[in-house]
Amino acid sequence: MVEREVAQRLFAKEFNDSKFNIHPKPDEVNHDGGHAPNFIVSPLGSKINRLFAAGVVTEIDNIGTEHDLWRARVVDPSGAFIVYAGQYQPEAAIFLSTMEVPAYVSVVGKARIYEPEDGSVFVSIRPEDINVIDADIRDRWIVDAAELTLDRIDAFSMALASGLSGSELFEHLVQNNIPNGLVEGIVLALDYYHTDADYLQKLKDTVLDCVKSIGSGSGDENAVPDEDLILELMNEMDTGKGIDYAELIIIAKSRGMAENVIVAAVRKLLAKGMCYEPKIGILKVVS
Amino acid sequence: MNNKLAPHIEELTKALESISTNIDESQIQEELEKLLDFRVPLDEAKRTIIRKYKSASMPVMKIRNITAGLKGFEVTGRIIDVTEKSVNLRGKDTIIFSGTLADEDGACSFTAWSNYSLKIGDVIRIKNAYSRSWHNRSEVNFGERSHVEKLPDDVLPSIDELTKTPVKKLRDVANTDLSVSSVTVILEFSHRNINVKGEEVTIVEGVLADETAKLPFTSWVPLDGLDIGSTIRFEKASVRMFRGVPSLNLNDNTTINAVDASTEELPFTFESANMVPESVPISEIMEKDGMFDVIALGNIISIRPGSGIITRCPDCNRVIQKNTCRVHGTVEGVKDMRIKAILDDGTGAISVMLNRELSEIAYGRSMVEAENIIQKAMSQDAVFEDMRQVLTGKYLAVRGNTSSTEFGVMLVSKSAWMPDNNINERVNALMKRLGNNKEEEADNG
Ligand SMILES: [Zn+2]
């Protein structure tokens, strides 16, 4: 049976602290005959093959020379995920090349690691899917990531408290109902990073900052009232024949506005007399 | 290579071959050399390596935890029955031994591919066993590469003890139970006529529940006087597996008695048992071959090809292309809409299937609207693309039965909804875990 690699939830800080890559030997195949997957092990013991991140896109650059290679910074409250989309990720590349910043997005993709000769290590995401999301999903993602990160911190604390390592630590954690994947990750991370209580505390502080940020960030991004955004969009869309209401909703949604917010904004504009409905389903801005 | 080490590596390799099928001599050498570099005494180093492989590659399994497709595990059980069979294996007549193996809380069938002179009542420990799926259950297999050892008789209870029908909560009913007894309330109940060997038979089908789970049941005996809401005590219902989900069979061997829920103290009522279940972490769903009536909640991280508007054969419901069914030839296709998505909650990922009605709920557009999108865009893929844009990244909750397939675990949804964004409670719980609850914050100013 082919099991799909889970998309890990972790904050950019933990991801960007990761330097330990486990790549299967070229001839190594797993029981099902498929190739064993690549993993990046984080200092907290996450075994990351795939991850799901949410945040604000703050910068997009085309850094390619021969071919387009789009680089985006997707920022969460702890740092930035770097996302690269090139010719082999055509959909993500088109998405990044046409989107406006800043905007909330979700990214699901594979964890990549780049190790130039000088000993430095860079991790990034190779996207499988990027999409525009709203602030609610972003907040909820922070809660998910915080809960799962704290679970890892708790498991790691248990590992440190035991004073064990290697196979003995493995057995100890399995007996304490820590999931197998995480147990493997913790044993590997302890051996490679020598993760200590100080690092766990640092990550805990990061989680706290992230949780505290929920709801507070929306002040900046929504500084412009929704009606103004909709009005601006209607002006942009109107070629003289008016604006198709359904189309307006689709486009406003693609810019990260929730449908109920859009509908409420249009209703307010109608009430204020700033736009009118010449026939059902068509809107016109009063100029 | 360090020649002095060669005999030790050979010895280790031999010792480990008996417990794992996947031993790499050069890897053992590397590990041994590393330990010796750290000035670990040779004997201790060898013991360390053996311990490591034992724990990593030879889990000791209880029978109830054995799922199909496991390799290299250890299991101990008593032979409940065993028969010798001659099978044709790749053109060669081979003698195999099959029967039932039981431990304190489970039983399963086994096949031995070599002759270990197994007798009814023997307690055996099998090392390097593997499992496969047989009649929707897991079966323990062992052969030449396995080690079978007879253990003292008092390691496990007697055959009588082991084959006694256990009294169980529904959550604990597993594919390693041959029969169970329990007290449950009837949630669903309907009669159906079926044809058994040319004879019309009326059976009862429905759902039973207690405070831990729900399970489907089929009764081959009439359940006079019972209906939805009745509480029953049954003994010796046989357990069948269907798509990884246990189902209870009430038959001539089963004793069924109505229970007066108003006089007997029970941990559940019809109302409590009939409540919407809590959502389950996807990692837990993935551990089981199948689950009945579960809720999963996560992010849609991928909309799979095959989602969108499809055409079905009116006779057999197969998905068809260009109005041609491979069974029924040219037909007038019927349009349908569906979504196949990957739902991932950060602990695991499952495939989720939504039918037309549920697709409309999740997607937020009716099938008619979706067909208009195709007409406008003049592309069959337009709806698939639009679904990806609307749904990827969103939270979705689904409720239904799960089963394990060759493409991973699949949940066929009976209902689906966009879950409420109630994060306040979770934020408060996080703050507590972080030692930073609101009262403290207020105190600190
Ligand atoms: Zn057909």
Side-chain angles (χ1 to χ4, degrees), chain B residues 116-361:
Chain B
Y116 297 99
S117 319
L118 301 174
K119 285 186 292 296
I120 290 179
D122 283 355
V123 177
I124 56 169
R125 174 159 62 205
I126 309 152
K127 290 184 175 181
N128 204 18
Y130 61 100
S131 65
R132 57 174 190 153
S133 179
W134 183 249
H135 286 308
N136 290 317
R137 290 171 188 261
S138 335
E139 184 193 72
V140 170
N141 278 244
F142 46 102
E144 264 169 36
R145 308 190 77 166
S146 314
H147 277 231
V148 177
E149 183 186 352
K150 227 185 127 178
L151 299 186
D153 192 68
D154 57 5
V155 169
L156 281 175
S158 68
I159 288 189
D160 282 354
E161 230 11 70
L162 290 175
T163 52
K164 221 165 63 185
T165 300
V167 178
K168 286 201 167 186
K169 291 292 175 190
L170 295 186
R171 180 184 52 207
D172 302 324
V173 176
N175 65 358
T176 50
D177 289 312
L178 303 173
S179 65
V180 292
S181 303
S182 195
V183 178
T184 62
V185 60
I186 299 174
L187 296 188
E188 289 175 31
F189 188 94
S190 61
H191 291 93
R192 191 157 74 96
N193 290 333
I194 58 165
N195 202 309
V196 181
K197 288 172 193 154
E199 216 179 305
E200 185 105 318
V201 181
T202 303
I203 59 167
V204 184
E205 290 175 319
V207 175
L208 297 174
D210 62 14
E211 76 279 18
T212 65
K214 299 171 192 168
L215 284 183
F217 78 92
T218 303
S219 180
W220 299 85
V221 292
L223 298 175
D224 296 335
L226 298 178
D227 205 341
I228 291 173
S230 307
T231 304
I232 56 167
R233 170 176 284 109
F234 62 84
E235 272 152 41
K236 241 183 169 177
S238 68
V239 179
R240 292 280 155 77
M241 298 302 293
F242 180 68
R243 290 199 176 143
V245 176
S247 131
L248 300 167
N249 253 284
L250 314 180
N251 51 38
D252 290 337
N253 294 324
T254 316
T255 330
I256 305 156
N257 287 302
V259 172
D260 185 353
S262 64
T263 58
E264 202 163 327
E265 189 101 4
L266 294 170
F268 58 86
T269 60
F270 173 74
E271 287 73 26
S272 73
N274 204 19
M275 268 198 323
V276 175
E278 298 263 315
S279 67
V280 178
I282 291 177
S283 55
E284 240 170 75
I285 295 175
M286 291 171 74
E287 278 168 20
K288 302 225 178 167
D289 287 339
M291 284 177 93
F292 183 75
D293 194 23
V294 286
I295 291 180
L297 196 166
N299 295 97
I300 297 171
I301 62 162
S302 176
I303 297 292
R304 307 307 295 164
S307 304
I309 301 279
I310 51 166
T311 313
R312 293 188 184 278
C313 168
D315 297 330
C316 65
N317 230 23
R318 279 189 180 81
V319 176
I320 58 172
Q321 313 280 343
K322 292 178 186 146
N323 283 335
T324 309
C325 173
R326 67 186 153 92
V327 179
H328 299 99
T330 304
V331 290
E332 188 68 34
V334 181
K335 290 265 190 270
D336 194 6
M337 182 160 83
R338 69 171 175 189
I339 293 174
K340 293 176 170 184
I342 305 288
L343 197 70
D344 183 309
D345 69 353
T347 72
I350 52 171
S351 309
V352 166
M353 288 286 272
L354 302 178
N355 64 13
R356 172 180 167 179
E357 186 197 346
L358 301 177
S359 296
E360 287 179 333
I361 292 171

Side-chain angles (χ1 to χ4, degrees), chain A residues 1-2 4 6-7 9 52 91 108 129 131 136 140-141 143-144 147 150-151 154 167 171 204 208 212, chain B residues 52 55 299 301 342 344-346 348 388-389 392 395 404-406 408 419-421 426 431 433 436:
Chain A
M1 190 182 85
V2 200
R4 196 184 155 86
V6 58
R9 311 294 198 273
F52 178 73
E91 289 171 347
V108 54
D129 254 308
N131 205 6
D136 277 355
R140 207 154 163 174
W141 177 85
V143 174
D144 290 347
E147 287 173 353
L150 279 191
D151 289 349
D154 287 350
S167 60
E171 266 169 57
K204 247 182 166 169
L208 182 60
K212 279 183 172 169
Chain B
K52 181 186 152 184
S55 66
N299 295 97
I301 62 162
I342 305 288
D344 183 309
D345 69 353
R388 289 183 57 190
Q389 229 181 60
T392 309
Y395 283 86
S404 174
T405 74
E406 60 179 309
D420 290 339
N421 187 28
R426 294 169 66 197
M431 284 304 197
R433 273 179 85 178
N436 201 309

